[in-house]
Amino acid sequence: MGGCSSSPEKPLAEGPAVDDEPGLQLREPGTPATVTFKLTPRLATEVVDVSVVVPTSQKEVFHSSVGRPKTFVVQTESGALWIFRASSEGGQADELHIANVVAVYEVTSASTQEVDVAALVRTQQKHVHARLLEDVANPTLATALATAKELPPVDWCAVLRSLAGDPARRKWIRRFAPIRGVNIGGWLLMERWLTDRDQVTPHGPIPSPFEGVQWWEAGNEFDLSRHLRYWKQLDRLDRWRAEYITEADFVRMKELGINSVRLPFGYWIVSQEPYPPGPRNEYHHGLGLKYMDDAVEWAEKHGITVLLDLHGAPGGNSGAQTAGWNKPEWQPDWFDVDAAVEIISIVAKRYAGRPSVIGIELLNEPEFHGKVEPLVRYYQRAYRAVRDAGMKAEDVAVVICLFRMNHILTEGWWYYNFHLPGSEFPNLLYDLHLYYAFLPDVLDNTLTLKQVTNEMVHVQAFLMRLTGKPAFVGEWSLQLPFDGPLCEERKRLSPDELRELMTTFAQRQARLYGRSSKVGGYYWTWNAPKHERWWSYMGMREDKILLPTSWSVEPSKFYPWRNGK
């Protein structure tokens, strides 16, 4: 672990720490001392519980007068950082002595979600690793922590500097959270599985432009655009854009208590001039930004906020159909950084000052085969493009997609924390996509449905806290595996058993994701065809699988700049 100055007051003073907001307060710097921690034999919700043994003169540093636990960062002369939760409880426990302590910082209130177990398991102190792993009852979580400890050490000095002061982010969260949102998938970037048939909207059924087109002819929007252009039928795609989402959808969202939408779009929607058709670009531009203009206008009219999401980037953010095409041969160097920054800049300039637009997600589900450096360079440039366009940090969050939960156990998130510190890139959030439909074989073959819909949800919600910056769930659903042992187990359930399982599964995800994230999240997706019912928020509400109070907000949580009529 990298060292840092023994006089860290200056880099940590990025904003005032207040009682109910994240921040770090300098406590008792000065003469090196020895602090003794007693580790209790269990893993707490966020960090290891400890009893602190210190000279009487220093006890007030560690214990409040009412005995409430506090969380501390302890820095030694060597620059090592230790993070613990202190309590006034004693008892039998192993002692851990930390010598040559030069400073102790109190981590105030909610910031324990930002500085937690991740810091501890990455200190490279092996006896602490052993104690943690030895006492974790859940084997899945134990495996996750065991994997995490093999990562390179983190420069927690830089991470703490990024967490110490981000008043813009705190203000943004106070204004807009909790978010109980939905994605508008399949509209401004078509995914065939979601839009190919049996589509019903709040204003009735509509035809899909994929109807009559074989899968081998077009399984994604790229191939569909090429196919319809050849047959001079691009008007079918225009009709879909015009009818799939209308103001009636936003009216219905508000009725159901949805206060935010995540709006995925392909770059071809935003481009001011249609890109010339070519081997990597045959998308149909159509009416372009008018669709997005309509969504922003409808959202503002009905008190709903909008997170704009670059779902399909120039050159591709992956080779998957979720990026608008299907290119198994795709490589990360296809991604066109300059063009992507231009798209972000166009969107930011167009919607700067629009009160409903509260966030821009720079790239959806990037699959760069572990190469984080080019992504960091893009995120730095795209972030600055957002701010240069006039979108203030306190009004608009910039979002980085970490993608699936297994990415928590890679170097990506802490690499982003180091290179995108809050002092230079304020109000930066992380997006995680938590699904249970695409489990690896090792889990599909060993876990039961009860374990997947119960213990796994708890584990994933817990791991959300390891990112160092606030994370929200940008995509989640109730879909379980389509085949394999878990699918067969589900088929053996009676209708009543399945309803009970799925209703409990829905409430558990909604409750735990809402609790683990300061922000909230977005269900994938607002609407889905009948044969993909578990993906549809509207369908799950109609079927009473998602209960009215589970993923919705009260009228007071809609926003005051509109009359909502």
Side-chain angles (χ1 to χ4, degrees):
M1 177 167 56
C4 60
S5 170
S6 60
S7 301
E9 297 95 325
K10 204 168 183 65
L12 287 167
E14 295 183 7
V18 295
D19 290 342
D20 61 345
E21 295 298 334
L24 295 176
Q25 297 176 335
L26 185 64
R27 296 297 175 92
E28 298 293 330
T31 305
T34 297
V35 179
T36 301
F37 292 93
K38 291 186 176 181
L39 278 66
T40 58
R42 66 185 180 88
L43 183 68
T45 304
E46 293 164 342
V47 296
V48 172
D49 278 344
V50 298
S51 295
V52 185
V53 181
V54 295
T56 303
S57 62
Q58 297 182 17
K59 282 190 175 180
E60 67 275 8
V61 176
F62 292 91
H63 301 298
S64 63
S65 59
V66 295
R68 294 176 60 187
K70 293 185 178 183
T71 301
F72 297 94
V73 178
V74 177
Q75 179 187 347
T76 67
E77 282 187 319
S78 67
L81 296 174
W82 299 76
I83 298 184
F84 297 105
R85 167 169 290 167
S87 69
S88 57
E89 299 295 328
Q92 297 296 319
D94 294 338
E95 290 190 355
L96 171 63
H97 298 267
I98 302 181
N100 299 319
V101 173
V102 295
V104 177
Y105 304 92
E106 178 189 352
V107 184
T108 61
S109 188
S111 60
T112 54
Q113 291 191 24
E114 299 182 357
V115 185
D116 55 15
V117 175
L120 190 58
V121 300
R122 290 175 173 81
T123 56
Q124 301 299 300
Q125 304 295 332
K126 301 302 181 184
H127 57 286
V128 177
H129 288 318
R131 169 56 57 182
L132 273 171
L133 298 177
E134 182 180 288
D135 298 319
V136 174
N138 189 308
T140 306
L141 181 57
T143 301
L145 292 174
T147 305
K149 76 170 186 177
E150 299 302 328
L151 297 177
V154 177
D155 182 352
W156 281 102
C157 301
V159 173
L160 288 172
R161 282 195 295 273
S162 74
L163 299 175
D166 195 342
R169 185 176 67 207
R170 296 198 294 270
K171 183 176 181 180
W172 186 92
I173 290 174
R174 282 199 303 267
R175 289 171 63 191
F176 300 119
I179 287 174
R180 297 295 180 264
V182 294
N183 285 268
I184 303 182
W187 184 36
L188 303 185
L189 188 154
M190 295 189 71
E191 300 181 37
R192 178 158 186 166
W193 69 273
L194 186 60
T195 58
D196 67 341
R197 57 189 168 91
D198 301 327
Q199 199 70 53
V200 178
T201 71
H203 48 279
I206 62 172
S208 167
F210 281 109
E211 290 180 11
V213 181
Q214 300 299 315
W215 270 90
W216 61 267
E217 294 177 302
N220 51 72
E221 184 167 340
F222 179 90
D223 292 332
L224 177 68
S225 298
R226 181 170 53 185
H227 178 86
L228 295 179
R229 181 178 289 109
Y230 177 83
W231 292 105
K232 295 180 171 50
Q233 295 178 348
L234 285 170
D235 60 309
R236 294 173 59 185
L237 189 49
D238 292 331
R239 181 182 176 189
W240 171 265
R241 304 267 198 237
E243 297 182 354
Y244 182 57
I245 294 294
T246 68
E247 186 175 353
D249 291 275
F250 286 80
V251 171
R252 184 62 178 145
M253 288 175 196
K254 185 167 186 177
E255 291 173 350
L256 295 177
I258 291 299
N259 69 346
S260 190
V261 295
R262 180 172 178 257
L263 185 57
F265 65 89
Y267 73 90
W268 51 94
I269 296 294
V270 172
S271 57
Q272 293 176 321
E273 297 294 334
Y275 279 71
R280 295 182 185 173
N281 178 44
E282 297 196 30
Y283 298 101
H284 177 51
H285 178 76
L287 296 179
L289 277 165
K290 180 186 183 302
Y291 305 116
M292 202 176 293
D293 290 343
D294 288 342
V296 170
E297 184 64 33
W298 296 331
E300 284 186 10
K301 183 176 179 180
H302 297 287
I304 295 171
T305 61
V306 180
L307 168 63
L308 301 173
D309 160 43
L310 180 54
H311 218 71
N317 32 308
S318 74
Q321 55 88 30
T322 54
W325 60 5
N326 186 12
K327 298 285 184 182
E329 70 275 20
W330 181 86
Q331 295 296 323
D333 59 8
W334 289 22
F335 175 57
D336 190 333
V337 173
D338 293 337
V341 172
E342 178 188 356
I343 293 297
I344 292 295
S345 180
I346 292 171
V347 170
K349 289 176 181 177
R350 191 176 188 90
Y351 300 112
R354 296 301 294 264
S356 64
V357 178
I358 64 168
I360 293 185
E361 189 155 351
L362 302 180
L363 201 63
N364 179 69
E365 297 184 355
E367 296 190 31
F368 276 55
H369 312 316
K371 298 178 180 178
V372 294
E373 292 85 357
L375 280 172
V376 165
R377 290 193 292 272
Y378 164 65
Y379 291 147
Q380 289 172 335
R381 289 182 58 190
Y383 178 96
R384 293 188 176 104
V386 171
R387 301 301 179 221
D388 290 345
M391 286 187 159
K392 297 179 180 179
E394 63 189 39
D395 297 326
V396 179
V398 175
V399 179
I400 290 177
C401 181
L402 293 183
F403 198 8
R404 298 191 182 101
M405 182 54 71
N406 62 308
H407 289 194
I408 288 294
L409 304 178
T410 71
E411 64 179 7
W413 66 268
W414 68 261
Y415 194 87
Y416 298 148
N417 287 350
F418 182 81
H419 290 280
L420 298 163
S423 56
E424 188 177 352
F425 300 90
N427 200 11
L428 192 68
L429 305 177
Y430 290 141
D431 168 17
L432 287 162
H433 297 175
L434 305 187
Y435 286 132
Y436 301 84
F438 315 109
L439 299 177
D441 290 343
V442 65
L443 295 180
D444 194 13
N445 293 327
T446 58
L447 299 181
T448 65
L449 274 180
K450 183 177 180 181
Q451 289 173 318
V452 169
T453 58
N454 189 343
E455 284 89 343
M456 263 200 80
V457 179
H458 282 272
V459 169
Q460 294 217 93
F462 173 86
L463 291 175
M464 284 178 64
R465 304 182 181 196
L466 302 188
T467 57
K469 295 182 188 290
F472 65 89
V473 185
E475 296 182 17
W476 68 279
S477 83
L478 299 182
Q479 182 65 56
L480 290 168
F482 303 93
D483 52 25
L486 289 170
C487 179
E488 295 304 315
E489 183 183 355
R490 178 174 58 83
K491 290 178 180 178
R492 293 193 293 269
L493 298 177
S494 69
D496 288 344
E497 290 173 331
L498 180 60
R499 168 172 283 276
E500 181 180 1
L501 175 80
M502 297 306 290
T503 302
T504 303
F505 183 37
Q507 301 347 299
R508 183 173 290 118
Q509 286 193 79
R511 183 180 72 255
L512 293 177
Y513 299 161
R515 182 186 301 168
S516 291
S517 170
K518 294 180 181 180
V519 180
Y522 298 85
Y523 191 93
W524 183 277
T525 180
W526 165 239
N527 194 5
K530 296 176 181 177
H531 58 281
E532 298 287 1
R533 190 75 166 173
W534 298 113
W535 296 98
S536 172
Y537 176 87
M538 190 161 47
M540 292 299 94
R541 286 293 300 270
E542 290 172 356
D543 294 346
K544 296 181 171 57
I545 298 296
L546 269 169
L547 302 181
T549 57
S550 58
W551 196 255
S552 61
V553 298
E554 298 295 325
S556 63
K557 295 298 183 182
F558 288 86
Y559 295 96
W561 55 79
R562 303 163 262 302
N563 58 26
K565 295 180 181 178

